[in-house]
Amino acid sequence: MPGLQKLYEPITIRGLEIKNRLVMPPMVTNLANEDGTASPALIEYYATRARGGVGLIIVEAESISWDTRGFPRQLCIHDDAMIEDLRQLTDRVHQAGAKIASQLIHCGRQTTSAIPGTVPAAPSPMPLYKEIPRELTLERILAIEDDFAAAAIRAKRAGFDAVEIHGAHGYLITEFLSPHTNHRTDRYGGGLRERARFAVEVIQKVREAVGPDFPVFMRVSGAELVDGGLTLQQMKVIAPMLVEAGVDMIHVSIGNGATPGALSIATMDVDVAPLLPYAEGIKSVVSVPVIAVDRIHDPFLADQIISEGKADLVAMGRQLLADPDLPTKAREGRFDDILPCIACNQGCIGQVAEGKSVTCLVNPACGRELEMPIEPAANPRKVVVIGGGPAGMETARVAALRGHDVTLIEKEDRLGGEFLVAGMPHTKQAILPAISWLARQLDEAGVKVELNTKVTPADITQRGAEVLVVATGARPAWPAIVGLTPENSVEAREVLLGRAGTEDRVVVVGGGASGLEVAHYLSVLGRDVTVAEMTAVAGADMVPSRKYWALKALEDRGVEVLCLTRVIAVENGCAVVVRDGTRSALPGPVTVVLCSGYAPTGHEWVSTEKHFSEVHYVGDAAASRTALEAMYEGAKVGRMI
């Protein structure tokens, strides 16, 4: 473990020895059974991360009562009937050598009645969504404190090594702490000490319930970054009160459900370790260990944080979804083998927000560990994959690992396809290391890669392969714009790859993810850019956190984004648009950058099907796809062949 001595030092917290300083933080998965019990899929998901070498796993938020859930398939701990399945979870994690903590949560106002079946409750009737929450009575407050204590006892009986009380992200405990959401005038509201009373009493009751030898952690928001919300200075006053009440470690995140940009799950648009100053601030005022979290994907950065005394442990969440084996790989010095998280938030946050189960764009087996093992092929065959984008690369990698003889043919001089194009803007260069990882894995798996090779359906039948995988992607669709010519227009991918220039004024046709990103790229180069989007919403194909940062970056650079706007013509060097029924011309001369849709190419290979025992179409070759869908299709087909 060169240069990582601090990261792999054990630490003992109230008698609990953790073998290293790497923590898997709680992340909702929607993998639980519908009744809130731990499913086999959920257990395997955590066991996989435990086998990868992480020191401590803090399990996703477990609801302390059925009527306070915030997610459709949320793990629960409100009934003794949950203990047996949770015991299976803790046993599997312990067998793999990791410690495991249960996170206890009451979602407060941050849910909707459609999930728990009742109107949400909160300290004050301050809505976050459309529903106005019920203001908690004094009697109900005390009952909820008892619910936390009862849940902690169940966690201990289920074999958890510790509990973490969720006091962050705008859930119930934060709602009491924050002047933004707590407008009470009784003993649970008003001044800072009164607002902290509920948190302190929860900790005290949990401590009394679990006894003096059982660790109790707490997750807090170092600040909320909303008007009238908690500040770091306020949290530096509150944190010692939590320790005095019985907390053994503080896990420092940020924000609530109204915080702009979802900084607690920072995307690739944000610098690494954006929350570190908050962890450092809390650590400066408490005597117990502090966990730093959020976009700390690099083990060397994690080690540096601990070495410099800014935190005592480092939580890697999405990175352990991407590569569960990072702790072991880093300890053994196998850094090139670590599959990097690209902080896209598509498979993790995006899926869960839609009520689906967690997964990962670069690791499609995440959340599907039971259904997607890589097993040796019963009948190894010769496979040809046409196209070196994400779907083609993943298909080839998995098929080769299973023992097939795989050749991948790519017409360009580099692998990556549209994934490579997507990584060109400086805000998305986190994508590029994932492409490099895939390329290295192809080499290690023995895939024969042919670059700069264009093949036709007639050529491919002469290859002598038994299986053909068509991953040829899609071509940009030519929009119906009068006067559009190759001289006054260019495809976005050609701009991003540096193959085409533009005039000083640019009109980007299409305000989806690719349109917004090429607009920002060109604005950085000094172009005067306008985006024309036909629908009412720009960035509709982006997860909300990425959309926020993409639109903010354009606003900061003065890029105009025109929705409900259609480019109908190019006349005299100017782009003619129709907006709100009014026709107007944007100043010219302009270059029209096309980001307005793609046409699949898979149909061009149908004539070859009779020459192969199997033909599969993956990614954009089959239909327009996101990278998340393309990687999953590649992973699935690679296992099917």
Side-chain angles (χ1 to χ4, degrees):
M1 49 181 179
L4 299 177
Q5 285 77 14
K6 288 292 183 181
L7 194 59
Y8 289 92
E9 280 185 0
I11 186 171
T12 300
I13 301 169
R14 198 177 281 262
L16 175 67
E17 183 173 310
I18 302 169
K19 65 183 178 182
N20 59 47
R21 305 301 180 93
L22 283 168
V23 178
M24 180 181 180
M27 296 170 285
V28 171
T29 64
N30 277 338
L31 287 173
N33 294 316
E34 290 186 1
D35 63 358
T37 55
S39 68
L42 181 141
I43 292 170
E44 189 62 31
Y45 162 88
Y46 283 110
T48 298
R49 272 83 203 160
R51 287 194 297 270
V54 68
L56 172 66
I57 291 174
I58 306 176
V59 172
E60 63 197 87
E62 296 163 72
S63 183
I64 62 168
S65 56
W66 184 251
D67 62 352
T68 67
R69 295 169 299 129
F71 301 89
R73 293 177 63 189
Q74 185 169 342
L75 193 62
C76 293
I77 197 168
H78 66 272
D79 191 285
D80 288 353
M82 273 78 186
I83 294 174
E84 182 178 349
D85 289 331
L86 290 172
R87 167 67 73 172
Q88 294 180 39
L89 168 61
T90 60
D91 284 348
R92 289 286 304 282
V93 169
H94 287 147
Q95 289 164 13
K99 299 297 193 254
I100 182 168
S102 167
Q103 188 189 64
L104 311 178
I105 189 173
H106 185 302
C107 287
R109 70 172 186 157
Q110 290 193 173
T111 185
T112 66
S113 58
I115 295 173
T118 60
V119 176
S124 303
M126 301 287 296
L128 175 63
Y129 306 122
K130 293 182 179 180
E131 292 177 285
I132 297 176
R134 292 176 289 115
E135 182 171 282
L136 287 165
T137 64
L138 290 174
E139 181 182 21
R140 187 62 193 133
I141 289 171
L142 296 176
I144 291 171
E145 293 175 359
D146 292 339
D147 288 342
F148 272 103
I153 292 173
R154 292 186 194 101
K156 188 175 181 180
R157 289 173 57 196
F160 285 97
D161 300 297
V163 293
E164 177 176 89
I165 300 167
H166 200 333
H169 299 163
Y171 295 112
L172 186 66
I173 290 177
T174 324
E175 291 166 14
F176 271 95
L177 291 172
S178 174
H180 177 69
T181 45
N182 185 347
H183 297 174
R184 300 178 73 96
T185 57
D186 59 14
R187 62 195 183 102
Y188 290 98
L192 187 149
R193 185 167 295 275
E194 288 72 28
R195 295 198 310 273
R197 186 186 303 276
F198 177 68
V200 166
E201 290 179 355
V202 167
I203 296 164
Q204 290 171 338
K205 287 188 177 181
V206 167
R207 167 58 64 208
E208 182 180 1
V210 299
D213 301 323
F214 194 76
V216 176
F217 313 149
M218 189 158 191
R219 198 172 207 194
V220 302
S221 287
E224 289 185 289
L225 304 185
V226 296
D227 289 342
L230 286 166
T231 66
L232 178 58
Q233 287 306 115
Q234 290 172 333
M235 285 307 303
K236 288 171 73 172
V237 176
I238 291 170
M241 298 166 59
L242 308 178
V243 174
E244 183 180 358
V247 164
D248 301 303
M249 181 159 65
I250 297 181
H251 189 175
V252 184
S253 186
I254 201 172
N256 63 33
T259 302
L263 266 176
S264 63
I265 41 174
T267 66
M268 62 180 76
D269 310 87
V270 179
D271 288 341
V272 297
L275 308 191
L276 186 57
Y278 299 94
E280 191 176 7
I282 298 299
K283 182 170 171 54
S284 71
V285 297
V286 298
S287 57
V288 299
V290 167
I291 305 174
V293 69
D294 198 24
R295 211 164 173 232
I296 306 172
H297 300 156
D298 181 354
F300 288 99
L301 174 59
D303 186 83
Q304 179 184 346
I305 288 168
I306 298 166
S307 298
E308 293 177 354
K310 295 179 178 179
D312 302 281
L313 300 93
V314 169
M316 290 188 179
R318 290 167 292 170
Q319 177 57 63
L320 291 180
L321 304 188
D323 193 339
D325 297 319
L326 176 143
T328 296
K329 290 176 180 178
R331 180 171 51 80
E332 295 175 353
R334 296 187 289 127
F335 302 108
D336 283 347
D337 286 343
I338 295 172
L339 172 55
C341 167
I342 63 173
C344 66
N345 285 4
Q346 291 185 41
C348 47
I349 311 306
Q351 291 286 101
V352 169
E354 293 178 4
K356 302 173 184 176
S357 298
V358 72
T359 189
C360 175
L361 188 155
V362 297
N363 175 21
C366 172
R368 305 181 177 111
E369 286 79 10
L370 288 176
E371 64 187 81
M372 293 189 74
I374 296 178
E375 298 175 336
N379 179 28
R381 290 178 288 173
K382 187 173 182 180
V383 179
V384 171
V385 179
I386 310 173
M393 294 174 79
E394 181 67 1
T395 305
R397 182 186 77 88
V398 174
L401 289 174
R402 296 183 58 228
H404 294 296
D405 178 359
V406 184
T407 298
L408 186 149
I409 302 170
E410 168 56 44
K411 67 180 180 179
E412 303 285 354
D413 61 354
R414 289 178 286 177
L415 292 170
E418 292 304 310
F419 215 28
L420 177 66
V421 177
M424 290 296 105
H426 80 276
T427 57
K428 294 186 67 181
Q429 290 185 0
I431 291 174
L432 302 181
I435 299 173
S436 299
W437 182 88
L438 278 167
R440 288 193 299 272
Q441 296 301 309
L442 293 179
D443 183 57
E444 291 183 14
V447 175
K448 295 177 283 293
V449 177
E450 299 180 16
L451 299 175
N452 291 309
T453 304
K454 295 183 179 180
V455 291
T456 66
D459 297 331
I460 207 66
T461 60
Q462 308 303 313
R463 288 277 181 158
E466 299 167 79
V467 180
L468 174 65
V469 178
V470 179
T472 49
R475 293 191 180 91
W478 190 261
I481 298 175
V482 176
L484 191 70
T485 68
E487 288 71 34
N488 60 29
S489 66
V490 64
E491 297 171 8
R493 73 184 320 272
E494 298 301 304
V495 172
L496 292 170
L497 291 172
R499 295 173 178 170
T502 70
E503 298 282 358
D504 289 340
R505 289 193 174 95
V506 174
V507 175
V508 177
V509 178
S514 59
L516 300 185
E517 286 155 3
V518 75
H520 183 262
Y521 176 84
L522 287 168
S523 74
V524 171
L525 295 181
R527 306 297 190 268
D528 181 348
V529 184
T530 300
V531 178
E533 166 57 36
M534 292 178 62
T535 71
V537 179
D541 56 344
M542 307 175 80
V543 295
S545 50
R546 286 229 57 236
K547 175 182 172 182
Y548 170 85
W549 291 108
L551 292 174
K552 184 176 186 303
L554 294 180
E555 181 182 2
D556 291 346
R557 298 202 62 83
V559 174
E560 190 171 22
V561 179
L562 304 177
C563 292
L564 297 173
T565 300
R566 186 161 58 95
V567 178
I568 62 169
V570 180
E571 296 177 354
N572 301 318
C574 300
V576 180
V577 302
V578 173
R579 188 183 190 203
D580 295 330
T582 301
R583 175 184 169 119
S584 62
L586 302 178
V590 301
T591 299
V592 177
V593 177
L594 303 176
C595 300
S596 55
Y598 295 84
T601 58
H603 66 280
E604 299 171 7
W605 300 85
V606 172
S607 64
T608 67
E609 292 181 0
K610 61 181 177 290
H611 298 283
F612 299 91
S613 60
E614 289 182 32
V615 177
H616 300 277
Y617 299 87
V618 297
D620 286 345
S624 182
R625 294 281 192 270
T626 63
L628 174 69
E629 294 165 324
M631 284 288 285
Y632 172 62
E633 287 180 355
K636 185 168 64 173
V637 168
R639 289 163 170 82
M640 290 169 50
I641 296 170

